[in-house]
Amino acid sequence: MPERETKSETLQACAPVTVGLLVVVPIERVVKHLEVGEAGFWFSFEKEPYALVVRDAGGTRAVNVAAIAVSMEELRERIPDLDALLAPARI
């Protein structure tokens, strides 16, 4: 039985894909596990798709892997650089 067990979860944005005025930013969920015991420690990471953020002429929206709408406000809180990734490119 581990003496101490911790788990942390974060969301992170991947590199945006831009085609014309369309910008798509994949969002992934990363979970870190750590267990410390008498015999040593064990750690693992999980990384999985979480959502897609899409910005086009119709606005900005996000859907999860089940194609259900995700709150943009929540994503902005959890991924501080998200708006910078969605900003139009300046030439």
Side-chain angles (χ1 to χ4, degrees):
M1 191 59 93
E3 294 175 11
R4 187 182 68 185
E5 188 173 345
T6 61
K7 175 182 172 182
S8 67
E9 176 183 319
T10 59
L11 295 181
Q12 61 186 31
C14 299
V17 176
T18 303
V19 178
L21 297 175
L22 174 70
V23 178
V24 177
V25 179
I27 306 296
E28 57 192 17
R29 176 179 168 258
V30 179
V31 181
K32 301 171 191 171
H33 300 270
L34 172 65
E35 293 182 15
V36 179
E38 291 179 18
F41 64 93
W42 175 84
F43 64 92
S44 68
F45 295 87
E46 299 173 46
K47 188 186 237 187
E48 60 188 23
Y50 181 78
L52 284 177
V53 177
V54 178
R55 183 189 55 109
D56 60 13
T60 302
R61 60 206 167 279
V63 294
N64 66 15
V65 293
I68 298 172
V70 174
S71 165
M72 282 301 299
E73 291 77 27
E74 177 188 348
L75 289 178
R76 284 181 175 106
E77 287 175 15
R78 296 181 68 181
I79 307 169
D81 62 339
L82 183 58
D83 283 328
L85 292 171
L86 290 167
R90 301 199 188 251
I91 299 174

